[in-house]
Amino acid sequence: MNAFSVRIPETCASGAVTEQRVVEFDPDCEAMIFSTDGTPLQGITGGYGGDRRVEHIIPRTAVQKGTYEIVIESSCNGMFGVPWNGDTIAPPDMNRYFRLVSADIVVPNEEAWGLMLDFTTLREIADTLPGNTSLQNKALVTANEIMNVFSKNDISSVARSRKLAAEVFGESWEKKGEKIYDEGAKRAQIWGIGYCHIDTAWLWPYSVTQQKVARSWSTQVDLMERYPEHRFTCSQAQQYKWLEQLYPPLFERVKEKVMEGKFQLVGGAWVENDANMPSGEALVRQFLYGQRYFQSRFGKRCETAWLPDSFGLTGAYPQLIRLAGMKYFFTQKLSWNNVNVFPHSTFNWIGIDGSQVLCHMTPVDTYTAQATVGDVNRGLTNNKNIESNDAALLVFGNGDGGGGPLSKMLENLRRIRATSNQSRELPPVYMGSSVEDFFDSVLTDTKGGTTLPNWSGELYLEFHRGTYTSHGSIKKGNRKSEILLRDVEHVATLASLYRYHKDNYVYPKSTIDTCWEKVLLNQFHDVLPGSAIGMVYEDAEKLYAEVSKDGQALLEAAFNTLLPPSVALDAASAPKAAGEIVGYNTTFFRRRDVVAVPLGGIQQLKSQVIQVSKDGNTGYALLDCSEDGHVSRCSGLFAHCMPPSGLLPSYFISLARPLTHLQVYTNSSDHFVLRNSSVQLTISNGRITSLLDVELGRELLAKGQTGGLVIFDDRPNYWDAWDVEIHHLETPHPLEFTNVSIITDGPLRAGVRSVIKYGQSTITVTISLDAITATVKPGSRSYFLFDAEVDWHERHEFLKFELPLDIHNDFATYETQFGHVQRPTHKNTTWDMAKFEVCGHKYADLSEYGYGVAILSESKYGFSCRGNVLRISLLRAATAPDAEQDQGQHAFSWAVLPHKGSFLESDVPMAAYLFNSPVYVRLLSKDITQAPLLQTESPFYIESASNVFLETIKRGEDDQFSKPSSSMTVVLRLYEAFGGHAKAKLKIAGHVSLAGAYITNLLEDEEEPLQIQRTPGMQDSTSYLTLDFHSFEVKTVKLHIGPSATISDRSDRGILP
Ligand SMILES: [Zn+2]
């Protein structure tokens, strides 16, 4: 950083008052000019690219004074980082140096600059419009005349040349300034809005983005002073928060402009997130944290969701956008499709649940338009829905690395508008409005959108399909963090409700918020997809590590409030004393689990497990959480299968059915069989040769085909970390399970391990089968669990796991946010063919009438199903923009779940949910009779709607969290998971004192009171709320818990310690 004191020479200071004095500073890199009190004044972009911005206007007062002081901070990066060979996506060159190119005080000849801009516009008109239009001819002739008149040796020729240009722009056009937009066509066709796309991290880390935000936004605030028509829109609450924290004086200036309506908030989300992989709840939080931030700092919320650059958009979005208080959506990324041209520009986007939102995909085909005549004209000529609406958004300004509009763009637009005021051959461009004004006018012009075309379901991007897999650890960090935070909120809410063992427990709202903000930040659309440089992932991994550490600490505090003194019992923490093994179930499904626990040589623990490993260190316990509680207890293999009372609800039927004959056997060389009375898997000569439903005697693999690991050559055309191309499927190299050995052999868990050497890599896969079914649903089958540890050192190779199934369907089913999506398994049309690699969350399924097989995933998002071959994508090995991406150690799991019945009849969604949500195994040091939680039924439970999932339980955002409180709100998020109707009864246990209940939106605004039905009991009255659902509907319920809830309630029940 350098402080500059500029002495303005007499020769400069004595010019006409209207002339500007300008500092031209070109450090060849990015820089920021500050006032001496530390307020950012504007950004500098050095070099000679199209984004060059090196001039800074000296204020008039300083010119008169003769001196001017500023501070310039140079940042050692260009607009697009420091790619080592100049190619945009090449990994960074950490030895790159920048050199000061120029530092001058200049008095620009404004007439000459004006002529250059005039000539540029004329040239663009001549280049853009067809040769048979009179405007094109006129512009060409005028430009030609200017070339004849202009003489570099005769300064007076500038004025004569400009007079010629006015024959196209209209007489006195320049004097009209921004008023030029008040003349001509009354109705705007092209709506100009300034924007600077700042990738929150990409070819630079988060810390550089913080500077980019201040640079770009200070520049735009400055431009607004000089161009009153300039409107600038910016998304991403995170960037505003950084500005608020790091550059408070500039934040105040931005705030003033927001209040004036010139700096416009858009998006309503924390960042411009990836729109494929975040969970449904994470998308909710993007909006919750985004909108609440905007509301708290600016007193307003956004009305338009804004994801111009995300790599495909889930069909869950229309509903979530609506529920987040927005009605409009802007994107453009599908113009990057590499197979089909997306057929609409302005349309109603209908989500998987039937909600719709007005969507505009600008026909200008970019969010970094340069405001040229070509851009303006493309807004009309490339509009695919002219029959229903011919308006378009022109989103202009340098971007990706920030920057935003340059003054030359605003100048060009004035000239373009002046031209269209004279001639109807260019569409009129309009400035001074907002994105919402544009959408409002579209609604008006299309009878409320009814004359627009519709698009149903996801906006699948036919490009960047490798991003579901690239950078495995970031995907894992995302999934694990999402689930950890869900569990933290759940357990902390119950702890704050009950306070059984710590009366002064306070819900840790601010730490939870901090954790969520980190997870949401890492969901940025170049971070979670794996398309950023290596430095970004060092930061991202650090954030996940912090979330994990803080989340675990919050869980401990909450568990120790809910339970008597207890410790986590997992592989990382060997027990030191005896105790009772219990599991805490954070899902709302009844369940049974086989858990591996360290025994620490303690005999008393051995008595609680059913199976002990050969070395005696690990025990396998069967945990049973099959009643209305949240705590699993150890159970014998065939004991405890019957309900305690004489009643036999349907869910007990399967529990009552023991799974027998868990076996693993081998011919001691190349043939291994894992089986129980439900399913059987055979590995022969290194490949899976049979997958059998034992009960039905049905072979599930296609005859003559084998399953297992497979490697493909993976050489995309350019965007290395982003893309996997269809030609990779032409090079399958099946891998064999080699060095197979039996490692456990029942009665609870049986398993084999294989160590595979491939190239420079080692892949260790453990395949296990348990003596229980995947869920407690009647007829559920067991799944085969695949745990992989990979030391990965390949380049441009793609590791997958595949199963060729003897199952036929034209469509496979994949989980998406709050529901599922079906995609073709065939290649009938180019639209079908383009979906050769797709995103799924916790499951992918191929079913036909009567039977199906699913692959469950706990940290992978890439899948495909071509014909009968179902695949999960495991690891890629791109070399740009991160030269070392995915090199090294990985640990991940997946499971193969056969199921009787088609997907809709199956337990796949529940099984996948449980697979991702292991019980928290704890060792209680005291007798369990001292744990009131074990005698307490779940406070919230859904009855009579197995298709409705209770996803989230958290405290209300507007509660007081400074001290323990007896009145509070609890927010529950539920959704319909199968795609049908439901009338769900939400049961609220009697020990929760329910004072009121409301349906809210995602922002927790109370919208509609719910009627509470109460069933009086001995001491408490159980409450019920009836909730009607349609397909994939998301509902948020806010419960007001009355003052009688917690402490007095516990005293009455005599369970206070
Ligand atoms: Zn971007």
Side-chain angles (χ1 to χ4, degrees), residues 785-940:
L785 172 64
F786 292 74
D787 292 307
E789 286 176 15
V790 185
D791 185 26
W792 183 244
H793 297 284
E794 305 313 304
R795 306 279 175 177
H796 293 122
E797 302 208 42
F798 200 154
L799 176 68
K800 302 189 183 190
F801 172 82
E802 64 181 13
L803 282 178
L805 297 167
D806 190 12
I807 287 173
H808 175 77
N809 197 321
D810 286 344
F811 293 90
T813 307
Y814 306 85
E815 192 189 34
T816 191
Q817 293 86 349
F818 296 128
H820 62 249
V821 55
Q822 293 199 307
R823 301 183 180 109
T825 58
H826 54 75
K827 300 184 274 189
N828 282 0
T829 70
T830 54
W831 292 90
D832 302 322
M833 180 271 282
K835 292 178 180 167
F836 57 83
E837 177 85 12
V838 297
C839 181
H841 284 202
K842 300 192 288 289
Y843 61 79
D845 182 88
L846 182 64
S847 295
E848 61 185 19
Y849 171 76
Y851 212 92
V853 175
I855 295 181
L856 314 183
S857 156
E858 51 71 72
S859 64
K860 301 295 176 189
Y861 295 87
F863 293 94
S864 73
C865 188
R866 307 300 281 170
N868 66 324
V869 184
L870 185 62
R871 294 192 178 104
I872 179 169
S873 300
L874 302 176
L875 282 174
R876 295 187 67 218
T879 56
D882 178 359
E884 298 299 317
Q885 186 169 83
D886 278 324
Q887 299 297 302
Q889 298 292 327
H890 298 264
F892 49 85
S893 304
W894 69 96
V896 172
L897 174 64
H899 57 87
K900 193 164 168 257
S902 67
F903 170 77
L904 291 179
E905 297 165 311
S906 78
D907 58 349
V908 169
M910 293 85 160
Y913 201 105
L914 294 171
F915 182 61
N916 276 267
S917 308
V919 290
Y920 289 89
V921 184
R922 301 191 67 82
L923 192 61
L924 288 188
S925 56
K926 286 192 182 172
D927 188 289
I928 55 170
T929 56
Q930 293 177 323
L933 189 72
L934 268 61
Q935 281 100 55
T936 314
E937 61 179 328
S938 237
F940 313 112

Side-chain angles (χ1 to χ4, degrees), residues 412-611:
N412 208 32
L413 289 175
R414 283 187 181 182
R415 284 161 176 80
I416 294 169
R417 175 63 189 225
T419 306
S420 67
N421 287 349
Q422 306 296 313
S423 156
R424 294 174 62 181
E425 285 161 272
L426 271 182
V429 60
Y430 183 69
M431 294 283 287
S433 290
S434 67
V435 171
E436 281 73 34
D437 292 336
F438 162 77
F439 277 111
D440 288 347
S441 92
V442 169
L443 274 190
T444 307
D445 292 350
T446 59
K447 299 181 183 163
T450 54
T451 61
L452 290 171
N454 295 340
W455 180 270
S456 280
E458 67 177 326
L459 292 171
Y460 176 85
L461 177 66
E462 296 175 351
F463 213 39
H464 295 358
R465 303 165 184 89
T467 58
Y468 322 136
T469 307
S470 288
H471 209 115
S473 71
I474 211 77
K475 271 63 172 177
K476 186 170 174 177
N478 181 63
R479 179 77 64 83
K480 301 297 177 195
S481 301
E482 287 174 341
I483 287 175
L484 175 62
L485 292 182
R486 182 201 66 192
D487 292 349
V488 165
E489 288 180 330
H490 169 138
V491 182
T493 300
L494 265 53
S496 69
L497 191 63
Y498 295 142
R499 288 183 266 137
Y500 282 136
H501 300 277
K502 191 165 180 265
D503 226 14
N504 60 350
Y505 180 83
V506 176
Y507 187 82
K509 179 71 164 62
S510 81
T511 312
I512 290 174
D513 287 347
T514 306
C515 288
W516 263 119
E517 287 177 9
K518 290 171 181 173
V519 173
L520 299 178
L521 172 60
N522 279 352
Q523 289 177 344
F524 179 74
H525 67 255
D526 278 308
V527 181
L528 181 53
S531 49
I533 57 171
M535 281 173 89
V536 171
Y537 294 102
E538 290 168 17
D539 292 344
E541 304 277 6
K542 196 165 154 275
L543 293 179
Y544 284 139
E546 289 167 7
V547 169
S548 174
K549 184 165 165 278
D550 290 347
Q552 294 298 340
L554 296 182
L555 274 181
E556 278 304 314
F559 277 134
N560 282 316
T561 301
L562 285 172
L563 295 167
S566 66
V567 292
L569 189 58
D570 52 41
S573 52
K576 296 185 178 58
E580 175 88 15
I581 300 170
V582 297
Y584 189 88
N585 175 18
T586 55
T587 78
F588 294 86
F589 299 111
R590 298 179 174 97
R591 65 192 295 173
R592 304 180 91 194
D593 295 89
V594 173
V595 296
V597 293
L599 295 173
I602 298 165
Q603 197 58 36
Q604 186 261 1
L605 292 183
K606 261 189 193 169
S607 68
Q608 297 175 60
V609 303
I610 291 170
Q611 180 182 338

Side-chain angles (χ1 to χ4, degrees), residues 197 199 309 367 400 524-526:
H197 190 75
D199 284 322
D309 194 24
Y367 52 82
D400 292 331
F524 179 74
H525 67 255
D526 278 308

Side-chain angles (χ1 to χ4, degrees), residues 315-316 318-320 322-323 350-356 817-820 945 947-949 974-984 999 1008 1026-1036:
Q319 178 178 209
L320 299 181
R322 285 284 182 177
L323 288 174
I350 301 175
I352 55 171
D353 71 310
S355 298
Q356 70 178 54
Q817 293 86 349
F818 296 128
H820 62 249
N947 53 334
V948 171
F949 288 11
L974 309 93
Y975 69 101
E976 195 289 317
F978 281 74
H981 281 73
K983 189 177 278 294
I999 290 288
E1008 179 194 330
T1026 303
L1027 302 170
D1028 289 319
F1029 285 83
H1030 60 252
S1031 301
F1032 302 131
E1033 185 178 4
V1034 177
K1035 270 197 197 310
T1036 307

